[in-house]
Amino acid sequence: MTRLTGSALRVTVFIGENDTWHHKPLYTEIVHRAHTAGLAGASVFRGIEGFGASSLIHTTRLLSLSEDLPVAIVIVDAEECVRAFLPQLDELVTEGLVILDDCEVIRYAGRTDASREPGTKGKKSL
């Protein structure tokens, strides 16, 4: 079981939905590398509207501009773990924005082996 409580570092990566790395979505590569690096977790959020350095507004409301919506990848872990991962983001993110924020984690608890058993629905074994 992984527990991360107290001070942590959050990295948020803003990219376009159509950004790729070796012919697959860039957000997928970032999440897979974060997983391989052993980080506590990573989530991808698809925006419904936004603009970046190009100043073009991308939105789901206009069919002609709905193809490259903003995507945010959020990763939270201990500061040393996140900082060790930053060189990979330097390699992957050629256009986009990477933000680091100090944060406080109330609780992070991964699944135990018992909660992964079929039919347990996360119940702890006695």
Side-chain angles (χ1 to χ4, degrees), residues 1 4 7-8 12 14 22-23 31 37-38 48 72-73 75-78 83 91 94 96 101-102 110 114 124 126:
M1 181 180 289
L4 175 64
S7 296
T12 306
F14 294 96
H22 296 281
H23 309 292
V31 168
I48 58 172
I73 303 104
I75 302 166
V76 178
D77 205 320
R83 292 203 182 274
E91 175 189 355
T94 56
D101 294 305
D102 291 323
K124 292 183 180 178
L126 297 178

Side-chain angles (χ1 to χ4, degrees), residues 17-31:
E17 184 177 37
N18 291 341
D19 292 348
T20 60
W21 178 261
H22 296 281
H23 309 292
K24 65 181 177 181
L26 178 56
Y27 58 84
T28 298
E29 182 67 17
I30 292 170
V31 168

Side-chain angles (χ1 to χ4, degrees), residues 4 13 27 29 33 38 45 48 60 66 68-69 82 89 91 96 98 107 115 117 124:
L4 175 64
V13 181
Y27 58 84
E29 182 67 17
R33 286 198 188 191
F45 300 94
I48 58 172
T60 56
S66 64
D68 193 24
L69 293 169
V82 171
L89 292 179
E91 175 189 355
V98 177
R107 180 177 65 118
S115 68
E117 293 174 10
K124 292 183 180 178

Side-chain angles (χ1 to χ4, degrees), residues 3 16 23-24 31 34 55 61 67 77 80 91 94 96-97 99 107 110 112 116 119 123:
R3 292 188 189 273
H23 309 292
K24 65 181 177 181
V31 168
S55 293
R61 292 181 292 129
E67 297 161 358
D77 205 320
E80 60 272 9
E91 175 189 355
T94 56
L97 179 65
I99 296 175
R107 180 177 65 118
T112 62
R116 292 182 182 166
K123 296 177 185 172

